[in-house]
């Protein structure tokens, strides 16, 4: 199969979109598919044409891009539809995969439409919801209009959670299917726990018992609402650990002075830290899925998360963790305190969390994606023939 992936973000920017694309590329490489990635230029690059690099055997074309205001590491690609159409025409894909499409994806879906190439659009980022968090709420309607236009043109839209599916349906978007995310349970598992790291970061209480570690993993950006974790700062016998980086790091370090900021972690270090948490807390309200929750659960760590978006599917309330009412930080604190005070409950939640993610391999998830590709290719062929 020949697959073109139009990526709204990609390496060197590492986020949920990039992570998913890399896992997909691993799978397509194993299958022997021919893959082209169209992505924004990296930081400091001017954008080049045609192919300039290879990632997991996929050729990469970089489009000119500029940094997003307030988030310089995120680059927004620009370029006319004819240029994207020319790249696609030369590659001759069987299908175009639109990864979290918005700006570059808007050009990609129109170019594919003009070439009569079927498209699968993966809804992965709630861009309209970010508008208020970034202080531009008047752009929310415009952003939804863009999302609607893209997904109505696509042959199929894949959404990662029940919440996301219903959200898109309310906006009149047709041809939606559920497509979740995988988790590498060999990489993320309870055996990664590092007691020496815990001791170095959190230490012990006066009675010699270990200080409990409350952890967060994710970008340090406005939409993640990491500042809400301030209500946990004074819980006795605990240490708050923040893993990740982003434009709000300095501000958050000032707002959470007693927290340990571990910075961006990858490779074996990320599962090592995750498995060393006693509890994982995610306060963001704009998660279409939330991969870090799934990774924490694979490490046998119970979760407290906001009851909106992707966490609604991932966290079974009262069994693998707790979901608190969005904005109710007193309830968040109450749930965290309750789990930290009850070792037996926390252990039961941890075991159930681990069990809940078994079988969600990236291979199984990517095989589902291939089925979606084959479906839209077949439907487009029948449409042309009939």
């Amino acid at each position: 199969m020949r697959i073109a992936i139009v990526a709204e973000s990609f390496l060197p920017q590492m986020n949920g979109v990039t992570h998913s694309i890399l896992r997909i590329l691993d799978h397509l490489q194993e299958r022997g598919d021919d893959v082209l990635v169209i992505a924004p230029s990296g930081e400091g690059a001017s954008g080049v044409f045609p192919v300039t690099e290879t990632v997991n055997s996929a050729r990469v074309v970089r489009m000119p891009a500029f940094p997003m205001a307030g988030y310089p590491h995120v680059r927004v690609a620009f370029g006319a539809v004819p240029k994207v159409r020319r790249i696609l025409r030369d590659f001759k894909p069987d299908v175009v995969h639109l990864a979290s499409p918005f700006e570059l994806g808007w050009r990609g879906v129109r170019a594919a439409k003009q070439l009569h190439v079927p498209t699968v659009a993966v809804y992965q980022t709630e861009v309209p919801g970010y508008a208020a968090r970034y202080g531009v709420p008047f752009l929310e309607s415009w952003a939804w209009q863009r999302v609607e236009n893209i997904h109505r043109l696509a042959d199929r839209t894949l959404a990662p959670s029940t919440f996301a599916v219903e959200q898109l349906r309310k906006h009149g978007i047709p041809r939606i299917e559920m497509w979740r995310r995988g988790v590498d349970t060999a990489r993320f598992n309870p055996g990664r726990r590092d007691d020496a790291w815990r001791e170095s970061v959190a230490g012990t209480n006066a009675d010699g018992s270990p200080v409990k570690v409350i952890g967060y993993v994710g970008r340090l950006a406005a939409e993640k609402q990491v500042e809400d974790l301030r209500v946990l700062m004074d819980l006795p016998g605990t240490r708050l650990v923040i893993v990740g980086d982003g434009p709000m790091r300095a501000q958050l370090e000032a707002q959470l002075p007693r927290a340990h900021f571990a910075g961006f972690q990858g490779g074996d270090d990320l599962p090592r830290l995750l498995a060393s948490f006693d509890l994982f807390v995610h306060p963001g309200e704009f998660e279409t899925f939330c991969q870090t929750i799934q990774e924490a659960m694979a490490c046998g760590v119970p979760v407290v998360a906001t009851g909106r978006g992707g966490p609604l599917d991932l966290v079974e309330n009262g069994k693998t963790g707790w979901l608190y009412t969005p904005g109710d930080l007193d309830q968040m604190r109450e749930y965290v305190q309750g789990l930290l005070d009850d070792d037996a409950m926390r252990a039961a939640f941890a075991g159930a969390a681990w069990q809940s993610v078994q079988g969600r391999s990236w291979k199984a998830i990517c095989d589902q994606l291939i089925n979606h590709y084959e479906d839209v290719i077949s439907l487009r062929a029948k449409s042309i023939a009939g």
Side-chain angles (χ1 to χ4, degrees):
M1 195 180 295
R2 295 176 67 80
I3 302 154
I5 298 177
V6 179
E8 205 67 39
S9 65
F10 193 56
L11 298 173
Q13 173 66 19
M14 180 54 76
N15 53 31
V17 176
T18 302
H19 179 265
S20 294
I21 294 170
L22 292 175
R23 299 291 73 76
I24 292 166
L25 292 180
D26 286 341
H27 190 74
L28 299 180
Q29 181 181 28
E30 289 180 6
R31 282 170 39 92
D33 295 308
D34 194 359
V35 185
L36 176 74
V37 177
I38 303 173
S41 63
E43 188 174 359
S46 60
V48 290
F49 176 82
V51 175
T52 59
E53 61 184 293
T54 302
V55 176
N56 293 22
S57 296
R59 292 167 287 165
V60 181
V61 173
R62 295 287 184 175
M63 302 294 287
F66 57 89
M68 190 173 83
Y71 205 165
H73 294 295
V74 173
R75 300 180 66 79
V76 180
F78 58 93
V81 172
K83 181 171 183 177
V84 179
R85 186 177 64 234
R86 186 165 69 253
I87 296 169
L88 292 177
R89 186 189 62 224
D90 291 346
F91 180 64
K92 298 181 177 61
D94 297 304
V95 64
V96 173
H97 173 129
L98 306 162
S100 195
F102 195 74
E103 281 298 329
L104 183 55
W106 176 225
R107 289 152 180 79
V109 73
R110 286 183 289 164
K113 193 78 171 179
Q114 291 168 11
L115 294 170
H116 306 291
V117 179
T119 51
V120 172
V122 180
Y123 178 70
Q124 197 166 339
T125 308
E126 192 184 331
V127 174
Y130 288 10
R133 296 297 305 174
Y134 280 91
V136 285
F138 54 89
L139 291 179
E140 185 171 359
S141 317
W142 170 82
W144 268 119
Q145 187 65 57
R146 170 60 55 81
V147 170
E148 291 166 10
N149 289 340
I150 291 169
H151 290 277
R152 283 174 181 156
L153 277 181
D155 291 86
R156 179 167 296 179
T157 286
L158 303 181
S161 62
T162 305
F163 181 91
V165 168
E166 292 305 314
Q167 186 180 47
L168 294 174
R169 282 179 178 157
K170 287 177 182 177
H171 282 270
I173 294 168
R175 302 178 297 279
I176 307 169
E177 299 283 347
M178 180 86 79
W179 182 62
R180 301 186 187 278
R181 301 291 177 270
V183 62
D184 184 348
T185 53
R187 182 182 174 209
F188 294 93
N189 65 76
R192 299 286 186 170
R193 182 181 171 97
D194 184 343
D195 288 325
W197 175 82
R198 285 174 52 88
E199 172 67 24
S200 69
V201 169
T204 57
N205 295 304
D207 62 2
S209 62
V211 170
K212 292 185 172 70
V213 177
I214 305 168
Y216 163 86
V217 176
R219 292 194 311 280
L220 305 187
E223 71 274 10
K224 300 299 183 180
Q225 298 170 241
V226 184
E227 67 276 9
D228 289 353
L229 299 179
R230 66 186 181 277
V231 301
L232 308 177
M233 289 292 295
D234 62 346
L235 289 176
T238 68
R239 184 76 193 273
L240 180 62
V241 174
I242 309 293
V243 179
D245 210 342
M248 290 190 66
R249 178 166 178 172
Q251 181 179 334
L252 288 167
E253 286 178 337
Q255 291 175 319
L256 307 171
R258 294 183 58 247
H260 172 74
F261 284 78
F264 175 82
Q265 300 290 329
D268 291 336
D269 288 328
L270 178 57
R272 181 171 63 86
L273 268 58
L274 260 176
S276 302
F277 295 165
D278 292 288
L279 190 62
F280 182 86
V281 183
H282 199 292
E285 296 177 19
F286 301 101
E287 299 297 315
T288 58
F289 185 74
C290 200
Q291 180 68 5
T292 55
I293 285 181
Q294 192 166 239
E295 291 168 347
M297 295 168 81
C299 289
V301 178
V303 174
V304 174
T306 185
R308 182 186 187 276
L312 291 170
D313 285 354
L314 294 172
V315 180
E316 187 173 349
N317 215 22
K319 184 175 180 180
T320 62
W322 293 111
L323 296 168
Y324 65 91
T325 305
D328 190 342
L329 302 188
D330 289 337
Q331 188 180 49
M332 179 227 276
R333 179 187 164 97
E334 178 185 337
Y335 284 149
V336 169
Q337 181 77 75
L339 276 172
L340 293 178
D341 288 346
D342 191 331
D343 292 345
M345 179 187 289
R346 195 171 67 257
F349 278 30
W354 177 85
Q355 186 63 48
S356 72
V357 299
Q358 301 309 300
R360 298 184 189 175
S361 71
W362 272 107
K363 182 184 184 307
I365 294 297
C366 289
D367 281 341
Q368 293 172 14
L369 180 63
I370 297 301
N371 289 337
H372 289 298
Y373 290 165
E374 291 173 343
D375 282 352
V376 297
I377 292 169
S378 175
L379 289 170
R380 178 60 65 92
K382 290 177 182 176
S383 173
I384 293 172

